[in-house]
Amino acid sequence: MKKFDDLYTVGQMSKLCNIPIKTLRYYDDIGLLLPEHVDTQNNYRYYSKKQILYLSIIRHFKTSGFSLEDIRHLLKREDLSMLEKKLEDKLIDTKKKLEELEYVRYKLEMDINHLKMGKEFSDYLDTEQETWDKNGIEMKNIPIIPVLFTRYRCPSNPGSYIKRFSELGSLLEKYKLYRVGPLMTVFYDHYTKFDYSNADIEVCMPVAGNLERCPNIREYGGFLGVTMLHKGPYSRMQESYSMALEWIQKKGYAYITPATEKYIIDTTSTNIEENYVTEIILPVKKYH
């Protein structure tokens, strides 16, 4: 029989190792840390000094992300090479989870910034309606940015756009890229020849990350463009296009394809159409 002077009761072990009694009993139940001695008369449980070390090992593996079941098997292994392999596997798994969490963090920050930008544009349009044609339209050099895109002919209707942007989202997740700006649609057909049943449409979004892995990356921008902010339903978009085209002509410029719609506040942010904010971007060149 063990000398009780060399053993610790459950309460003593709990205080010594700063671990709840309930946890020690649970470890006993699942076979992770069995008491060194159990008194057959009163069923008191006693732990040895060596088991203090075992408990420290359990804590070490637990804080490294191992489950209790994994730890139970690790404690039984004497092969250090096997232990090293398990640690390496856990490290790879942890790095993968960190990348996934970083992706979620970046996406949340982007969504918050995107929404703030949209609200600022919306407030601007509400306060500048009287001087719309003076302040709402401007000419500027559109900067070059990398975008994730798909381009092919399809009907120009809400159902098609839902499908197209869903495809883009799948590519975004597949290649673990970060969206860093609003969704965009690029219309390669001239508005005078636009066929709603079979339009040459590109959907895209500004992205960051490991772009080399993805074949659906191209550069957008690098041209002189006239931009205009449109607030409200897409059904009224033609009014803004007409206004921008008239402005372009008065300035002595000509519109050239393709046109772009940048959805600053869209269906992903609100279900109220009057709150939609879209930036229209029209490439232009000077008349000779």
Side-chain angles (χ1 to χ4, degrees), residues 242-258:
S242 298
M243 192 179 297
L245 290 168
E246 183 180 351
W247 188 92
I248 290 170
Q249 188 175 20
K250 286 181 178 179
K251 293 293 182 179
Y253 283 79
Y255 157 65
I256 54 177
T257 55

Side-chain angles (χ1 to χ4, degrees), residues 108-284:
L108 288 171
E109 288 181 349
M110 188 280 300
D111 287 341
I112 292 170
N113 292 333
H114 182 195
L115 188 58
K116 285 181 179 179
M117 180 178 68
K119 287 170 63 179
E120 290 175 359
F121 279 134
S122 182
D123 292 342
Y124 166 78
L125 295 182
D126 287 339
T127 57
E128 297 293 338
Q129 285 182 349
E130 293 182 359
T131 55
W132 172 253
D133 56 353
K134 178 180 178 182
N135 297 307
I137 305 176
E138 62 177 324
M139 187 180 299
K140 58 186 178 183
N141 289 309
I142 307 301
I144 296 175
I145 56 172
V147 296
L148 177 68
F149 79 100
T150 65
R151 177 185 173 182
Y152 55 84
R153 287 192 171 276
C154 69
S156 180
N157 58 47
S160 290
Y161 290 120
I162 291 173
K163 177 178 178 291
R164 295 291 301 273
F165 285 124
S166 177
E167 292 171 352
L168 210 60
S170 296
L171 288 172
L172 192 73
E173 293 183 7
K174 178 180 179 180
Y175 293 100
K176 297 300 179 186
L177 302 176
Y178 306 106
R179 179 159 74 97
V180 295
L183 294 167
M184 300 189 294
T185 301
V186 183
F187 302 94
Y188 285 91
D189 297 320
H190 195 278
Y191 70 92
T192 59
K193 301 177 181 178
F194 194 81
D195 182 358
Y196 282 90
S197 66
N198 187 33
D200 186 0
I201 294 174
E202 173 186 312
V203 294
C204 60
M205 64 175 73
V207 290
N210 190 351
L211 306 182
E212 292 77 14
R213 296 184 303 176
C214 180
N216 293 69
I217 299 292
R218 77 171 185 92
E219 288 187 342
Y220 172 88
F223 58 85
L224 181 65
V226 168
T227 65
M228 180 178 186
L229 294 175
H230 168 85
K231 183 176 182 182
Y234 302 134
S235 59
R236 296 205 304 262
M237 194 86 75
Q238 191 57 49
E239 299 172 15
S240 295
Y241 272 102
S242 298
M243 192 179 297
L245 290 168
E246 183 180 351
W247 188 92
I248 290 170
Q249 188 175 20
K250 286 181 178 179
K251 293 293 182 179
Y253 283 79
Y255 157 65
I256 54 177
T257 55
T260 300
E261 291 177 4
K262 181 187 293 186
Y263 307 109
I264 298 170
I265 293 185
D266 58 10
T267 54
T268 62
S269 303
T270 178
N271 59 357
I272 302 174
E273 291 188 348
E274 290 297 332
N275 289 336
Y276 292 171
V277 176
T278 307
E279 182 180 22
I280 298 170
I281 304 173
L282 302 176
V284 293

